[in-house]
Amino acid sequence: MAERPVPEEKRVFMTGNEVVAYAALAAGAEIMYGYPITPQNEIMHYWTRLAPRFGRGFLQTEDEISAGFATLGGVLAGRRAFTGTSGPGHILMQEPMAMAEMMRLPMVAVIQQRGGPSTGTVIYSQQEVTMTVSGGNGEGLRIVYSTARHQELYDYTIKAFNTAWRYRFPTFVLGDGYQAKMREILTIYPPGERGIEMVAGEPYLVGPGEPGTDRPPVHLRNTYNVEEELNATVMELIRAYQAAAPEIAEYQESGTGDAEVVVCSHGVVSRVVEEAVRELRGRGWKVGWFRPVTLRPLAESGLKAVAARAGRLLVVESAHGQFARLLKEVLYGSPAVLETMFKPGQGFTVEEIVARVKEVARGGRS
Amino acid sequence: MVTGSLKILLGGEGGQGVQSVAAVVAEAAYAEGNEVLYIPNFGVEQRGGVSIAFLQISDQPIAAPKFRYADVVVALSQRAVARTEQYVGLRTVFLHDSAVGGVEDLLAGRAARIIAIPALETCRRESDPKVFNMVIMGALLGQTDAVSLEGAKAAVRGKMGARFAKQPELRELNEWAIDRGMALVAARQ
Amino acid sequence: MEPVMPKCWRGESKPHKFCPGCGHGLVLKALGEAIDETGAMGRMVFGCDIGCSLLAWDLFNLDSVQTHHGRVIPVITGFKRANPQAIGIAYMGDGGGYSIGAQHLVSAAIRNERITVVLVNNTQYGMTGGQMAPTTLPGQKTETTPYGRDPLTTGAPLKGPEMVAAIAAPGAYVARGTMANPRRLRNMLGSALRNQMQEAGFSFVEVLSACPTNWRTGPTETWRFVEEIMTEYYPVGEIKVPLEQEV
């Protein structure tokens, strides 16, 4: 293709769904499979308008089960294939995602969380955390980037394709309805100009050569006869995941050195938390923030270090403890006190977080 | 460019053009070099629900997509008043169409100013109700320093360019509406 | 004398894993012969559904993948869309194609996906232990219809190829074969694969097959059930032929 989707670095003002479509194009994603559900629809809308110009494919499937399995088909063919979904559609997609875990298929999925349970709202939540990190009948052998702003949505959508193909685990960009629908400013760029080399796809099936003559046939197995066989396979997957985890895990923190209260959040909530902490710092409060960028694998050592220094952690999320549970698993045995601020399906304002942090810092409980 | 930050909340019935106004002002504010964050907020109805737009314009990067109190609330319908009321603080200017009643009683003592402008009535009497939202945008521009009048008009042209090319009178109509909205709000100062 | 096996069959996979008397072996032999005729093994991707179909996963010298129950069609569809040079075969049972994955079969047919679906109809769920399938005949006893299938409460048996033919695009090839006539079945499967390779459209072959284990039938009764009872309800033949290749 002569024309490149993102020919040069450019400051733009767009919605998050548009950002995802451009990032996927810039990352060299070759085909998208999707099914309509709010609030991720515009990923498909932008993709279907842009993709044909750059020789990329699209298929609107009959449901999310099919979108997920067709994405696996695309991956098996060696293409950078991806999908996007939300809420009830995300529930249906757990089935192909489980297969991706078992067979280490590098599917990429962008999840724009909406309110739940069930059909909930089409607006916003952080209630798809548990499902994204550990949905399906498996061990959660997934990589999950939780983005906070459009720049990250662009950066991590590109990165998701590389992480998926480098480590061969299903990789997710966890956004939400706010990020999907809101417009803000970011800089888009061709990955190569930032020194990002895209990891090439590689066919699992129908690669070069005649099976049975030039090479043995590839038989990808997904069903096992005896417990021992399955256990051995799963343990091998787990060991591979654990070996890769430290390279993959990412987090950010600020002010945690002397903080008496560290506010923990992820995704879009963390930008509100950052502002609240900045305000409080300005007024002399000893507070900081900690934000995992990868919810799975979690940056365990970073979190433990922060918890060991601060007496109190305040977990803020737009769900009722789904993110907090991930932290608790790592913090088991830590003397740090875990306070919470849960608003399932609702966003936060700076003011209310400031008020809650003060309360926690004074030792009060909600 | 704005100095500091400006938080605007617009609410109206689906189809009244609230999101178009927010999108145009957002686009103009971006073009004028501001940090901008615009988030539409609506339910599952394609039509007939209350549509809300959160718009922030700032000289600094913007943190939260939503805010506790708006500097300016613009409410275009009775239901929009009920939906936006929670964002009214003591420093909030509440701008609404005169056809929407009961606002003074509801918000007495709770807002910095309440301004009613006869946008719908003016459109019906002098022009065309389809540019109602542009009159409202004019009033919003008159009330704030969000974006320049020229910037807003350029953003409208950017958005409606193809239709304006086909129907030049439509461009005139829209620009009349923006100017008229500004005049209406100036008369209330 | 050793029976002659398809060239694309993998020697190491013998003996195959199906129950004695199972129809899958005959169906897969006919499919193997049809694959041999194409001479395009290097382009083939063989996907199996879950159910007894999955036992075919390593039978061929072809690249293959096991999927989930009902999901082989979207996997092969996704593969083919991403690599249009490939020849995609989705091998599945009646539960997978007509019940849990019916939406995929219907949609693939409507979209005229350039894939070949081979669906084995043995009138019940084999691997899960003989429950009622959409293809279970009226009065037939299964584990979930122990007094016989009652169409008043469970509906009538689904005629899959007739349904697919009704919704498929003009280029589609649709047929119903039977394990009782392997030569004709091989020709149908050949036509189906050629239909895909010529990019004419979707191809779908249902094959009447036997499950003596769950039917609890002896050899004579098994064959009588396939050849007489099933065939009476499910007529064998080509139902939609775009390329005028009567077999």
Side-chain angles (χ1 to χ4, degrees), chain A residues 11 178 182-183 185 271, chain B residues 27 30 37-38 62-63 66:
Chain A
R11 197 173 139 90
Y178 284 178
M182 75 189 192
R183 295 184 75 185
I185 300 164
R271 55 195 284 165
Chain B
E27 196 60 54
Y30 167 63
L37 195 157
Y38 156 47
I62 298 158
K66 291 191 177 173

Side-chain angles (χ1 to χ4, degrees), chain A residues 119-177:
Chain A
T119 183
T121 68
V122 298
I123 303 168
Y124 163 80
S125 88
Q126 293 188 314
Q127 296 172 283
E128 297 178 43
V129 166
T130 301
M131 188 155 64
T132 310
V133 302
S134 58
N137 58 338
E139 306 296 338
L141 303 175
R142 301 153 172 230
I143 295 155
V144 181
Y145 293 111
S146 175
T147 58
R149 43 184 60 85
H150 282 10
Q151 191 61 58
E152 291 180 353
L153 208 48
Y154 189 79
D155 298 344
Y156 284 100
T157 299
I158 291 170
K159 191 168 194 173
F161 287 98
N162 270 351
T163 305
W165 281 96
R166 181 171 293 132
Y167 298 102
R168 305 287 174 106
F169 287 107
T171 302
F172 300 80
V173 177
L174 184 63
D176 55 67

Side-chain angles (χ1 to χ4, degrees), chain B residues 17-18 25 37 122 132 134 139 143-144 146 158 171-172 176 189:
Chain B
V18 160
V25 177
L37 195 157
T122 307
F132 167 61
M134 289 294 107
Q143 186 55 42
T144 68
R171 174 180 162 179
E172 245 168 75
W176 169 86
Q189 299 293 341

Side-chain angles (χ1 to χ4, degrees), chain C residues 2 8 20 29 59 63-64 82 92 95 148 164 174 194 207 210 220:
Chain C
E2 279 276 308
C8 63
K29 181 163 184 273
L59 190 92
D63 288 356
S64 73
M92 66 196 314
V164 170
V174 183
R194 274 194 302 280
V207 189
T220 314

Side-chain angles (χ1 to χ4, degrees), chain B residues 91-154:
Chain B
R91 285 198 289 269
T92 304
V93 174
F94 197 95
L95 193 66
H96 69 96
D97 187 79
S98 318
V100 178
V103 179
E104 287 284 351
D105 293 342
L106 181 76
L107 297 177
R110 286 167 50 195
R113 270 192 81 196
I114 298 164
I115 305 172
I117 58 156
L120 193 55
E121 190 198 323
T122 307
C123 285
R124 282 197 182 123
R125 212 176 44 230
E126 301 176 15
S127 161
D128 189 332
K130 77 180 169 203
V131 288
F132 167 61
N133 67 333
M134 289 294 107
V135 176
I136 291 296
M137 188 173 82
L140 175 64
L141 299 182
Q143 186 55 42
T144 68
D145 61 351
V147 293
S148 69
L149 178 62
E150 259 327 295
K153 285 182 179 174

